[in-house]
Amino acid sequence: MTDLARRSALALALAAGLAGTAHAAVPADRPWMDRSLSPDRRAELIVTAMTDDEKFRMIRADFGQKNDKAPHSPESLEGAGFVPSIPRLGLAALNETDAGLGVTRPGSDGLGAISLPAGLATAASFDPAVAHAGGRMIGGEARGKGYGVLLAGGVNLVRDPRNGRNFEYAGEDPVLAGTMAGAAVRGVQEQKVVATVKHFAINDLESGRNTLSADIDPVALRESDLLAFQLAIAKGDPGSVMSSYNKVNGTYAGEHDWLLNQVLKQEWGFKGWVMSDWGGVHSGAKAALAGLDQESAGEVFDKEVFFDKPLREAYAAGQFPKARLDDMVKRIMRSLFAHGVIDQPMKPTKVPYEADRIVARDALEAGAVLLRNQDALLPLARKGQSVVIIGGRADKGVLAGGGSSAVSDVAGDPVPGLEPKAWPGPVKYHASAPLTFMRKLGGKVSFDEGTDPAAAAKAAADADVAVVFVTKWAAESFDTPNLALPDGQDALVEAVAKANPKTVVVLETNGPVAMPWLDHVGAVMQAWYPGSGGGEAIARLLYGVSAPSGRLPLTWPKDESQLPRTTIAGAGLYSKEKPADNVDYNIEGADVGYRWFEKTKREPLFAFGYGLTYTSFAYSEFSVDKDASGHPVAHVTVKNTGKVAGADVPQIYVTAPGASTRRLAGWSKVSLKPGASQRVDIPLEPLALARYDDKAKRWQVAAGSYNVKLARSATDVATETSLTLPESFPTAKAP
C-alpha cells in the first residue's frame, strides 16, 4: 500500500467516526432534519413544505460574483454560483465554486488557495489513491472557505491534444478517466461538499463550444465518452452533473432528453441534479422537461433567466407540470442531504495550506512523466555537478492553465501582469520556483532567463548540465491551432543542446507538443501544469529524491497529420475564423487515442501508458482467471531489478473476439524497493470487455476467446495469453 493509499484509508476511517456522532434534536416543524431518515425521504418532506416561489428559487443559482446585471447579496462568497438562504425552512445559503484543481475564489477567509497539478498529471499517476487524496484536499479547502458545491469532476475525453481544456481532464481512455474522476469525486464529497461531474457530454473541443454540434453514433458515444461518465458516476456518486455547452447530434446537451432523462437518470439511475454550465441554457420548459434541473447564473450568462419567468409562465399554463418541478427540487435537496451539506452547515475554518501544498506536490511527483533519459542523465548528482536552469520563469514559479479552473495561489502570483489579462486570462503562475528548490538539493545551480538563445547557450556550455524549462499556456474557451511551442522556445532548446548535449527539458504544457529537438537533448520530463507544489516536486524528481512514476494518459502524436482531424476551425486565442458548426467524431468513433493509432496503423511519438523511471522492472508468472464471482482477474509478479526504489504500472489490454483494437481493462501501480518483488492481482473492468447492444439497451460480453496482453504501454507488450468467457451483461459498479 502506498503512502497516499494509507492516508486515504485513515481519512475514510475518520470520516466514518464523525458520521457516528450523536444527532441534534429534530424540530417538530422541520421533520426533514431527521438524520435517521433516508436522503430521499428527507427531500420529499422538505419539498412538500415548500411554496412554489421557494421551489422556483431553488432551481436557479445566481452568479456569485459582483456584476452590473443583478444586485449583490451579502450571503454570496463571490464564487461561481449562489442560491440564497430560505430561513423559514432552515436552509442556509448555498455557495458554489470552481473547479477541479482547487478553489478559484477566496471565499470566507479572503485568501487564495492551493492548486493541484493538472488533471492530466493526476491521471498520469495511474493511482486512484492520488486522485482521492487530491479530491479530499480541494474539497476540504472548499468547505473551509464556506462553499457547499465544488465544480470538480471533469471527465471529458482527450480526443484532440490541441483542446485548450485538456489539462482539467483525465486522459483519452474511458476506463482510466472514469476511475480517476470517480476517485477524486469521492474525495471531495467526503468533506461534505457536493462534487459536479462535467461536462455532459462530449464537450471535447473549445472552439465554438456554445454552438458546435458534436456528431457521433450513439453506440460509439456509449463506448467512449459516455462510458467515462458512467464509470465516474458509478464510482464517485456525485451529487451533481453539469450539462455541456455544445449540441450532441444537433440538440443542445441541456435540452437533450436522451442524454439527461433516458441515459443518465433512467438507465444509470442517477439520483442527483443536473445543473447547466454558465451560459448553457436556451429554453425554459423545453430544457426542464428534457432533464435539466437547475439553471446556473442565467441573469449574467443566458439570454434571459429561463428558469424564472418563462418557466413560471409555462407552469401556470399547464405546459410544465408540478410533478416535474417537484422532481427538480427534490434532486437538489436529496444531494444536499446525502452529502452532508445541510447537516453540517458551512462554518469557516482555518485551511491547512502548507499540508495541502504537500498533497499537491505529491500528486505531481506521482504524475510527472519521464519521456527520455539517454545515458541515465537523470537523476542529477546532488554534489559535484554544476547545473544551469534556463527559461520558463523557473526562478519565479510554475505555469497554470487558464479559464475558470485557474486557482489564485495563496502565496500570490509571482509573475503578475502577463497577457492576456482579459478572459480566459489572466495568465497565472504558482509561487513554487524550481530554482529555489533545486538550489536546496543540488550543488552549484545558476539561472538564465532564456530570452537570448546565444546567452543561454554560453551559460549551458559553462555548466555540467543544462535544464531548460519550456511552457505553453492553454485555457478554457479556445483551442491551440497546432502543437508547436510558442515564443521561439524551440530555437532556445536547439541552441542550448548544441552547446551542451547534457540538456534536460522540462515541459510545462497542456499536453503533447512538437519536439523537433528531441533527438538532440539528453532527457525530457513532462510536468504538465505543475500546481502549487510543482517547483519542489520537479526538483525532487530531477535530483532523484523520488523517482518518476507517471505514465502518459494520452497518446503523444508526432504531428497534427496523425490526428483524426488535422485542423480545428476557429482555433486560436481570440481567433476571427468561424468555428465549425459540426464536428464529425464518427471518424474515430469509440476508437479514441491509442485505439485510433492501432486501427490506422500509425506509430506515435510516445504511446499511451508510456513512461520511464530510474530503475527497471521484470514481469513473470502472468496468468488470467476468474474470481469467485466469475469476474476476470489478471495476475503477475513484478520485480524491481534496478538499484533504486521506484513504482511500476503493469497494464492489461484486452481484444474482444472479432475486435480490431485493444482496450485498457485494468492496471496496478506497484511501489518496490530494489530487488523486491510482489504478486499483483489486477481485476479487469467488465465494461472494457463488453460492447453496447443498442437494441437490448445493455452492455454485453460476448461468449468466446479474449486476447489478454500484459504491457508497459499500449504498444509495448511484455506477454499475452487468452481467456475464454461466457456471455454476460455487466453494469457499472461502485469500487
Side-chain angles (χ1 to χ4, degrees):
M1 182 181 285
T2 65
D3 287 342
L4 277 170
R6 290 191 187 94
R7 284 183 229 162
S8 296
L10 176 60
L12 284 169
L14 290 172
L18 288 172
T21 57
H23 298 162
V26 179
D29 60 341
R30 294 175 183 172
W32 50 86
M33 297 306 294
D34 184 351
R35 301 188 196 182
S36 69
L37 301 176
S38 70
D40 296 272
R41 180 57 181 155
R42 297 175 72 182
E44 289 173 1
L45 288 169
I46 195 169
V47 170
T48 299
M50 282 183 171
T51 66
D52 283 350
D53 283 341
E54 289 166 342
K55 294 173 186 176
F56 274 100
R57 179 62 267 189
M58 188 61 62
I59 63 171
R60 60 182 179 89
D62 296 340
F63 191 43
Q65 299 168 35
K66 293 179 181 178
N67 63 86
D68 58 5
K69 295 186 177 182
H72 185 70
S73 170
E75 292 183 314
S76 171
L77 295 177
E78 298 284 327
F82 161 74
V83 178
S85 63
I86 306 179
R88 187 183 74 84
L89 301 175
L91 294 180
L94 181 66
N95 280 276
E96 304 171 339
T97 184
D98 292 302
L101 307 183
V103 179
T104 63
R105 304 294 294 182
S108 58
D109 64 4
L111 302 174
I114 296 298
S115 176
L116 291 169
L120 284 174
T122 296
S125 75
F126 275 69
D127 189 347
V130 172
H132 178 261
R136 279 191 62 85
M137 185 275 278
I138 63 175
E141 290 205 359
R143 171 163 274 278
K145 292 170 176 289
Y147 291 106
V149 178
L150 182 61
L151 306 179
V155 72
N156 295 101
L157 293 188
V158 175
R159 284 179 175 264
D160 194 306
R162 297 163 294 186
N163 176 9
R165 214 166 179 181
N166 283 339
F167 70 93
E168 296 185 46
Y169 303 141
E172 70 189 23
D173 181 81
V175 177
L176 176 66
T179 300
M180 299 299 283
V185 165
R186 280 202 324 277
V188 169
Q189 294 189 154
E190 284 168 12
Q191 301 285 29
K192 311 303 181 188
V193 172
V194 166
T196 304
V197 167
K198 60 185 184 181
H199 308 86
F200 194 69
I202 201 162
N203 182 183
D204 296 343
L205 287 175
E206 291 294 286
S207 300
R209 62 180 182 170
N210 296 89
T211 55
L212 172 142
S213 178
D215 296 341
I216 187 170
D217 176 80
V219 172
L221 180 57
R222 294 261 200 179
E223 295 179 351
S224 55
D225 292 66
L226 287 192
L227 178 55
F229 278 97
Q230 187 174 3
L231 290 170
I233 291 167
K235 294 176 183 295
D237 187 29
S240 180
V241 166
M242 183 188 294
S243 63
S244 57
Y245 286 124
N246 55 286
K247 299 173 184 175
V248 179
N249 294 325
T251 300
Y252 279 113
E255 298 176 347
H256 212 297
D257 177 81
W258 179 78
L259 273 177
L260 304 183
N261 281 332
Q262 297 179 44
V263 174
L264 177 63
K265 294 180 177 179
Q266 295 172 19
E267 293 183 28
W268 297 353
F270 176 64
K271 294 184 177 182
W273 88 90
V274 179
M275 67 169 67
S276 75
D277 206 337
W278 276 232
V281 181
H282 303 273
S283 62
K286 181 179 180 180
L289 293 173
L292 188 68
D293 299 306
Q294 188 180 60
E295 180 177 16
S296 304
E299 82 285 5
V300 173
F301 292 93
D302 294 327
K303 290 184 179 179
E304 61 178 307
V305 185
F306 290 101
F307 277 22
D308 192 15
K309 184 179 178 181
L311 196 56
R312 286 175 180 267
E313 291 175 348
Y315 182 72
Q319 299 166 353
F320 172 61
K322 178 180 183 296
R324 173 60 185 133
L325 175 62
D326 287 354
D327 176 61
M328 295 162 74
V329 181
K330 192 180 300 180
R331 287 176 171 276
I332 297 169
M333 298 311 305
R334 183 198 181 278
S335 287
L336 298 180
F337 283 125
H339 299 294
V341 176
I342 291 176
D343 291 340
Q344 295 189 26
M346 299 299 148
K347 295 180 180 179
T349 58
K350 185 177 180 180
V351 176
Y353 291 116
E354 291 313 305
D356 289 353
R357 194 181 299 277
I358 292 175
V359 174
R361 181 200 73 185
D362 290 351
L364 182 62
E365 286 188 26
V369 182
L370 184 60
L371 299 173
R372 179 178 172 87
N373 194 23
Q374 294 299 105
D375 301 321
L377 176 56
L378 293 177
L380 302 174
R382 300 286 295 274
K383 295 180 180 180
Q385 188 178 61
S386 61
V387 176
V388 59
I389 299 173
I390 297 170
R393 298 184 173 89
D395 60 327
K396 302 291 186 182
V398 290
L399 181 63
S404 62
S405 69
V407 175
S408 295
D409 200 292
V410 69
D413 187 343
V415 194
L418 297 177
E419 296 290 345
K421 296 177 183 178
W423 173 265
V427 177
K428 293 181 180 180
Y429 274 71
H430 297 301
S432 181
L435 175 64
T436 300
F437 293 100
M438 290 179 71
R439 280 178 169 164
K440 290 180 180 179
L441 292 176
K444 182 182 178 183
V445 180
S446 57
F447 179 73
D448 181 274
E449 291 183 349
T451 53
D452 179 354
K458 184 179 185 304
D462 292 337
D464 294 325
V465 179
V467 181
V468 185
F469 284 77
V470 298
T471 62
K472 184 175 184 177
W473 185 70
E476 178 182 357
S477 81
F478 78 96
D479 304 311
T480 55
N482 54 54
L483 299 177
L485 286 170
D487 305 322
Q489 292 179 96
D490 285 329
L492 173 66
V493 175
E494 290 281 13
V496 171
K498 186 175 180 180
N500 188 340
K502 290 185 177 181
T503 292
V504 179
V505 178
V506 178
L507 304 170
E508 295 177 20
T509 69
N510 182 41
V513 293
M515 295 187 284
W517 34 259
L518 180 62
D519 292 338
H520 304 153
V521 302
V524 179
M525 182 178 290
Q526 171 58 284
W528 314 101
Y529 294 139
S532 294
E536 183 177 8
I538 291 168
R540 286 163 56 90
L541 289 165
L542 292 178
Y543 278 101
V545 176
S546 58
S549 63
R551 301 292 186 268
L552 287 177
L554 43 70
T555 303
W556 197 296
K558 292 178 179 177
D559 54 46
E560 297 85 353
S561 70
Q562 293 189 311
L563 302 174
R565 287 156 293 279
T566 57
T567 60
I568 301 174
L573 182 63
Y574 309 138
S575 172
K576 295 182 179 179
E577 179 188 10
K578 183 181 183 298
D581 295 322
N582 304 74
V583 173
D584 184 9
Y585 288 120
N586 288 305
I587 295 172
E588 72 273 31
D591 292 320
V592 180
Y594 64 90
R595 296 172 61 195
W596 163 258
F597 277 74
E598 181 184 9
K599 181 178 181 179
T600 59
K601 297 179 172 57
R602 302 176 189 213
E603 182 182 353
L605 189 61
F606 299 109
F608 173 90
Y610 171 86
L612 304 174
T613 188
Y614 297 152
T615 188
S616 56
F617 296 91
Y619 299 150
S620 62
E621 302 176 290
F622 175 58
S623 64
V624 184
D625 55 25
K626 288 173 276 189
D627 64 17
S629 301
H631 298 137
V633 181
H635 313 274
V636 61
T637 298
V638 182
K639 182 176 182 178
N640 183 342
T641 57
K643 297 180 180 180
V644 298
D648 189 43
V649 184
Q651 301 158 40
I652 307 297
Y653 295 85
V654 177
T655 305
S660 60
T661 59
R662 68 196 65 169
R663 295 182 177 200
L664 178 71
W667 67 90
S668 180
K669 192 155 195 178
V670 189
S671 297
L672 294 171
K673 295 180 179 180
S677 63
Q678 181 178 332
R679 186 70 172 163
V680 181
D681 301 322
I682 306 175
L684 306 188
E685 169 55 53
L687 295 186
L689 312 180
R691 296 296 308 273
Y692 190 79
D693 183 341
D694 200 37
K695 290 184 179 180
K697 303 300 179 188
R698 65 186 180 186
W699 289 92
Q700 178 188 30
V701 173
S705 178
Y706 288 70
N707 176 263
V708 184
K709 292 179 169 64
L710 169 65
R712 294 179 175 86
S713 75
T715 61
D716 185 2
V717 177
T719 187
E720 59 187 275
T721 187
S722 61
L723 175 68
T724 300
L725 294 174
E727 182 181 55
S728 62
F729 307 98
T731 57
K733 294 182 179 180

